[in-house]
Amino acid sequence: MAFGGFISVIVPVYNVRQYLHQCLDSLKRQEYPSFEVVLVDDGSTDGSGSICDEYAASDERFMVVHQSNRGLSAARNAGLAHSSGEYISFMDSDDWVSPHYLPMLMSAIERSGMPCASLAHLETFRDGHDCGLYDGHDAAYAKTTTGIVEIKDETSMQKALLRQRVNCGAQARLCRRDALLAIADDGRVFPEGLLYEDLATGYRIIHKTQGSALVYGNLYAYRRRHTSIMGNRDALHDEKVESAIHVAHELYRDMARWYPELSRGAASRCLALLCTVYSSLDMQERGNEEAVWREIRRYADLARGDAGARLKDRLAVYCSGAGRRMFSTFCRLYRACGFWDA
């Protein structure tokens, strides 16, 4: 199969020494003829930066940008600024991909005519466990996977993102460069200084690209680590609260303006994000708890009557109306069962 576009894969790297070889080796094995890998060492202190240098020295497709620690969004933006690809893909440095990851995404773009393609789902696994990806040897699987490319229009894709029925992250996507840069006048696609950057960015990309091609198949292994910022419930509470409130405000404002028919769904998505943050707070954090509770009540009222909401989001609306004590009990039960996921 002939492909026409040069791809830049941008990989932010921060203290992932034990996972980095698996990530970069999977990129070296890509069955795609023309791509580069832009590694952004975001101030690593565990030797990850040296590993990046080794790959750049041994493979001309790899290049390294070293910078002081500025966070995931700033690292992605730096990689984008140093990249030269007509198409852009982002990958987390503790994940790994099938050799057919880039070919299948590019094929979906070329077959659909869309400026963006995304894997519908990631193969999520917990750190320390195995995860199998398609390697090209299962003929039956290859026939199934390469035959399924779904084209979703703008509104349908936004609805799927709000309901979390498809991959919501920046990972496992391939976007035409001009379409990606169109969401930011200053070239900084990802909001620096905020957490939940994927949620803040994904819906804006879909708005500009007016939809997406969806690829079905186990091509991207997404590692869940308790030591990551999002995986660690006890990390960066102030930042999580401030970021969640800000991102929820902008998401709801934009969705209500662009797609009025999805405003309740947007409120449910904001509620889910805030419930995740609320459930991670300690009882002593009165200031943070009060701030998040006010936002929860607001979005619960806006989401009321959203028939398409997930069961736990509908329960959150009901319990918030029963008062803060009932809602706190509800959140503790969900947290104990590991159900909350922003």
Side-chain angles (χ1 to χ4, degrees), residues 137-203:
H137 298 301
D138 187 337
Y141 179 82
K143 182 179 180 180
T144 302
T145 303
T146 55
I148 300 181
V149 174
E150 180 183 4
I151 302 174
K152 277 191 173 291
D153 62 40
E154 184 178 344
T155 302
S156 298
M157 189 65 183
Q158 296 288 22
K159 184 183 292 187
L161 286 173
L162 292 175
R163 302 301 189 204
Q164 300 183 66
R165 294 172 181 161
V166 296
N167 164 39
C168 302
Q171 322 92 322
R173 295 181 189 278
L174 184 63
C175 286
R176 207 172 60 214
R177 183 187 197 87
D178 62 332
L180 190 62
L181 290 174
I183 74 169
D185 294 335
D186 60 0
R188 290 185 289 185
V189 171
F190 296 93
E192 298 183 17
L194 287 176
L195 303 176
Y196 309 108
E197 55 280 306
D198 287 348
L199 182 57
T201 304
Y203 75 94

Side-chain angles (χ1 to χ4, degrees), residues 19-34:
Y19 311 112
L20 193 52
H21 285 289
Q22 185 178 34
C23 170
L24 302 186
D25 286 344
S26 73
L27 288 172
K28 288 184 71 171
R29 292 192 293 267
Q30 289 302 294
E31 296 191 359
Y32 189 84
S34 53

